[in-house]
Amino acid sequence: MKSQIRTLVDISDTPAALQGQADIVLGRARWAAAVFRRYGKPETDGIVDAVAAAAHNYAQHYADWAVKETGFGVAAHKKIKNELTAHPLAEFYGEDDFVNARVDERRKVVEIPRPAGVIFALLPSTNPIATLNCKIILALMTRNAIVISPHPAAKACCIDAANKLAAAAVSAGAPHGVVQILDAPTIPLVEAFMASPKTNVILATGGAPMVRAAYSSSNPAIGVGPGNAPALVDASADISKAAKRIVDSKSFDNSVLCTSESVLITLLEVQRQVEQALKSSHAHLCNAEEVGRLRRLLFHERGFNVECIGRNAVWVARECGISVNQNTKVLVAPVARIGVEEPLTREKLCPVLALYAAVNIDQAIDQAKAVLRLTGAGHSAAIHSLDERVAMRYASCVEAYRVVVNAPCSQGAAGFATNLAPTFTIGTGYFGRSTVSENVGPQHLVHWTKMAYNADDAEEFGDYSGLNPAFDGPLPQAPSDGVPGSPVAGCSPAIDSATREQLRRLIAEELRDLMKG
């Protein structure tokens, strides 16, 4: 008998238990979503505003916490990102209506908004709180419930922040369970959530394996790919301004934003001017030996050295044995080629910028295309030019859906130094094998049922003015019984006796199978 049960199994890790945990949390979220979709626009806006205020008030607190927990990034810069995903995000979409029906009398069409329902959101470690703020606010704008899976490296700060925002939402009138977060995420548990039929859409921000898993889950998914933005500085550019913008952008939060510049491409005719302008903006121009040291530190046979993620330029230089001034913001590494044989032309989530000089604008554009083919297709690119023809040609040739002109790419592509939609989830479209090419926003979390009347003029169109779902006043609260390992403290999902008994039966059956033979 001993040999039959020699493999001890943690019941909480069995497929039946994992699915049971997912069912409990998602069932509670579905209840919240069903209630939430009855809300009108004034009530929905009030909830969004309350959550945005809470996100703003705690921006510094969670910036400090995220840096302390993950070990990388700049707290002052994370505070800016956390604030930008609070009031500015809510205000950007403030005039948009994702709650009321849209009536087109001329076309005799009525469009009724249909929230996705339950969103399962995956967070990265690089921008944990800003991404959490963004996804929660977008979900609430569209009257969806959201369940969040934090990155293990930023789990504590994300759980605490989600609790704060959940409490703010409920205090403003949102149903309990509308925001939940996993307090002990594991790969099998996350897979159970992604594959569950109770999940309506997956919103994945993170590494390529996570995004591929989301797309292969059998549920609808909105995922993003890696970035590797080329930045072109042509002969017509204001080189001094361009260099300062690029250095400030590349050093912002120690370059953990996937929208930050990765390879700077310029022309031989202005190379010296560009290099001098970079130095004047506190960049260190590496010599050939130093470039070799950087290459060996940043890349090994398994890929990018994760110890360098979000480290500042002085730290990276010290690890390489490169002597730099303490005010150095970026390490610039001149390279002779772009492609798989030169790892420094791949994405680098630290303030190291490859520099390539092309003989003419044709070669410069071809090399920018090569950067994106190497990695980052569909993501972002930048150009610094005062020649509209060059800018138009560049944007139409590179395989990127965001081309930032005369602005810092890291903030500009994310909508914070341009008038693009603010987001921390960048759609990479067909080039990047994603379903969305835009900066992901609330419009991607709601679909519209279209009522279309007979087009014959003889058929009268109905009067739909003022016909919208009305807020029903006080709503019931979700029950709670404090299930161990439940998300959001104080908002534990309830398990009725039938569900609990079914879970026990499934676990028992699985254990019996394990003990056979």
Side-chain angles (χ1 to χ4, degrees), residues 279 282-284 313-315 317 322-331:
K279 291 179 183 178
H282 303 295
H284 173 80
V314 174
W315 184 95
I322 299 173
S323 178
V324 299
N325 293 327
Q326 290 303 300
N327 63 354
T328 299
K329 292 183 175 181
V330 171
L331 303 177

Side-chain angles (χ1 to χ4, degrees), residues 1 81 114 118 132 145 176 216 238 247-248 264 349 355 371 377 380 382 398 400 429 467 486 495:
M1 183 63 178
K81 293 192 292 188
R114 309 299 291 272
V118 176
L132 179 142
H176 286 269
S216 63
D238 184 322
V247 170
D248 287 348
L264 170 55
L349 295 179
L355 171 63
V371 169
S380 307
V398 296
L467 292 184
S486 64
I495 311 179

Side-chain angles (χ1 to χ4, degrees), residues 197-478:
K198 294 181 179 179
T199 293
N200 295 105
V201 65
I202 302 165
L203 199 51
T205 305
M210 176 193 294
V211 174
R212 285 196 297 269
Y215 276 127
S216 63
S217 68
S218 79
N219 274 321
I222 300 173
V224 301
N228 195 36
L232 173 60
V233 177
D234 78 355
S236 74
D238 184 322
I239 291 176
S240 179
K241 282 185 178 179
K244 185 178 187 308
R245 287 166 176 160
I246 290 169
V247 170
D248 287 348
S249 175
K250 184 62 178 171
S251 60
F252 184 74
D253 205 14
N254 289 341
S255 194
V256 296
L257 281 167
C258 55
T259 50
S260 66
E261 296 85 347
S262 182
V263 180
L264 170 55
I265 300 171
T266 191
L267 304 176
L268 283 172
E269 62 182 288
V270 293
Q271 180 181 3
R272 289 190 178 180
Q273 293 171 255
V274 169
E275 290 175 349
Q276 187 56 49
L278 289 169
K279 291 179 183 178
S280 297
S281 298
H282 303 295
H284 173 80
L285 191 68
C286 297
N287 59 36
E289 181 187 356
E290 291 170 339
V291 170
R293 292 182 181 184
L294 272 177
R295 194 181 290 120
R296 289 190 293 274
L297 173 69
L298 296 183
F299 293 93
H300 45 61
E301 64 276 4
R302 296 184 303 279
F304 185 74
N305 182 357
V306 296
E307 291 298 321
C308 297
I309 293 177
R311 302 288 192 176
N312 62 42
V314 174
W315 184 95
V316 175
R318 185 174 63 247
E319 291 296 302
C320 291
I322 299 173
S323 178
V324 299
N325 293 327
Q326 290 303 300
N327 63 354
T328 299
K329 292 183 175 181
V330 171
L331 303 177
V332 177
V335 296
R337 62 184 64 84
I338 289 174
V340 293
E341 67 277 13
E342 178 49 82
L344 289 173
T345 57
R346 290 154 58 183
E347 184 179 31
K348 303 167 291 295
L349 295 179
C350 65
V352 174
L353 181 70
L355 171 63
Y356 178 87
V359 296
N360 54 41
I361 198 67
D362 292 336
Q363 186 189 31
I365 293 175
D366 284 344
Q367 293 304 309
K369 292 164 62 178
V371 169
L372 290 166
R373 282 198 300 270
L374 186 63
T375 182
H379 208 287
S380 307
I383 183 169
H384 297 264
S385 174
L386 299 179
D387 188 332
E388 296 86 354
R389 291 171 298 178
V390 172
M392 176 66 83
R393 183 179 167 201
Y394 180 75
S396 61
C397 288
V398 296
E399 291 188 339
Y401 292 109
R402 278 147 295 273
V403 176
V404 175
V405 182
N406 298 330
C409 192
S410 60
Q411 298 98 324
F416 301 114
T418 62
N419 290 317
L420 294 176
T423 193
F424 272 84
T425 301
I426 304 288
T428 56
Y430 301 137
F431 292 140
R433 305 192 67 77
S434 173
T435 54
V436 175
S437 63
E438 301 174 275
N439 287 0
V440 174
Q443 70 273 23
H444 301 111
L445 303 177
V446 60
H447 286 171
W448 298 81
T449 293
K450 295 177 174 62
M451 296 170 53
Y453 270 62
N454 191 322
D456 189 336
D457 291 339
E459 186 67 36
E460 184 178 354
F461 181 58
D463 181 5
Y464 288 92
S465 57
L467 292 184
N468 283 300
F471 182 61
D472 294 331
L475 294 163
Q477 293 189 354

Side-chain angles (χ1 to χ4, degrees), residues 497 499-509:
S497 58
T499 303
R500 185 181 287 106
E501 184 56 37
Q502 181 183 37
L503 180 58
R504 288 172 179 157
R505 180 177 54 79
L506 289 170
I507 294 171
E509 289 175 355

